[in-house]
Each structure stands twice: as C-alpha cells, then as structure tokens.
Amino acid sequence: PTSPQSPDIAQLQQEQQKQEAEREALQEQLRKEEEQKKREKAQKKRDELLAQKVQLEAQLQACLQKRANDQKQEDDFKQLQVLEKLQQEQQRALPQDGAPHLAPLEHNPQSPPAPS
C-alpha cells in the first residue's frame, strides 16, 4: 500500500518543477532585457558617433572652404603684385610725358577729378 506521504512528494516535485520553470522564464526574461539594454546602449553610442562624424565633416568642409578662400586671396594678391610690377615697368619704359592709355591702376576713369 502507498504511504500517506507519497501524494505529498508528488505534489512537492510538481511544485519544484513549476518553480524551476518560473525561474528559467525569469532568467530568460532578464537575459532578454540585458540584451535590449546592450542594444540600446550600442545604438546610443552609434548615434553619438554619427553626430560627431557629421560635426567633424562640417568642420572639415569649413576648413577646406577657408583654405580655398585663403588660397584665392593669396593668388589674387600675387596677381595684383605682378600687375603692379608690370605697370611700373611700363611706366619706366614710357617717355616722360606718358601715354594717357597707360594710366596708373589707381586712376578711375568713371570719376573725373573734381574741378578746381
């Protein structure tokens, strides 16, 4: 005959299995939550790096633009120096009375001299 304790043992084993299943389910849920946190952290880091990259690219473009502008100013200045040098050489080559069509660069034909 079965002892009066056997239903209790079966019930305890069933309870233990149920608790084991709940514990595994909780562990799985915890693992998923940790994975989700890791993904969110990684996504946040990616977003930060992307924002940083966009900012650095903008700074780079600004620097390149400035360098191009500086280079253009330098080229314009050199060209102006060459023109001034040519003008000086032309003036030295001219007879002292000077030809009117080779007036100095500073002379602006649009604004005639003020009458005295």
Side-chain angles (χ1 to χ4, degrees):
T2 60
S3 69
Q5 295 174 343
S6 54
D8 291 345
I9 291 175
Q11 194 175 2
L12 285 174
Q13 285 177 332
Q14 210 175 15
E15 186 67 32
Q16 189 178 5
Q17 287 174 345
K18 186 179 162 190
Q19 286 179 353
E20 191 75 23
E22 284 178 8
R23 192 170 64 82
E24 285 176 17
L26 286 172
Q27 282 181 330
E28 180 66 18
Q29 185 181 348
L30 185 63
R31 189 184 62 76
K32 285 181 179 176
E33 286 173 4
E34 285 174 355
E35 278 181 16
Q36 181 65 26
K37 280 182 188 173
K38 279 184 190 174
R39 275 197 298 272
E40 288 171 2
K41 190 175 178 182
Q43 184 62 47
K44 185 179 176 189
K45 186 69 175 171
R46 269 196 298 273
D47 292 347
E48 287 172 8
L49 289 172
L50 186 62
Q52 196 175 13
K53 178 185 174 205
V54 168
Q55 185 181 3
L56 288 172
E57 285 175 344
Q59 287 176 345
L60 175 64
Q61 286 304 316
C63 287
L64 291 174
Q65 186 64 47
K66 184 183 184 314
R67 193 168 88 183
N69 290 345
D70 290 350
Q71 186 64 48
K72 186 181 181 331
Q73 283 183 334
E74 194 177 317
D75 292 348
D76 289 350
F77 181 70
K78 285 178 183 173
Q79 197 173 7
L80 186 62
Q81 283 181 318
V82 168
L83 287 173
E84 286 174 349
K85 196 173 185 182
L86 279 173
Q87 185 185 35
Q88 289 169 0
E89 289 171 9
Q90 282 179 339
Q91 283 180 342
R92 275 197 297 272
L94 286 178
Q96 287 306 312
D97 59 351
H101 65 280
L102 291 173
L105 286 176
E106 290 81 31
H107 176 68
N108 187 351
Q110 277 78 23
S111 56
S116 46

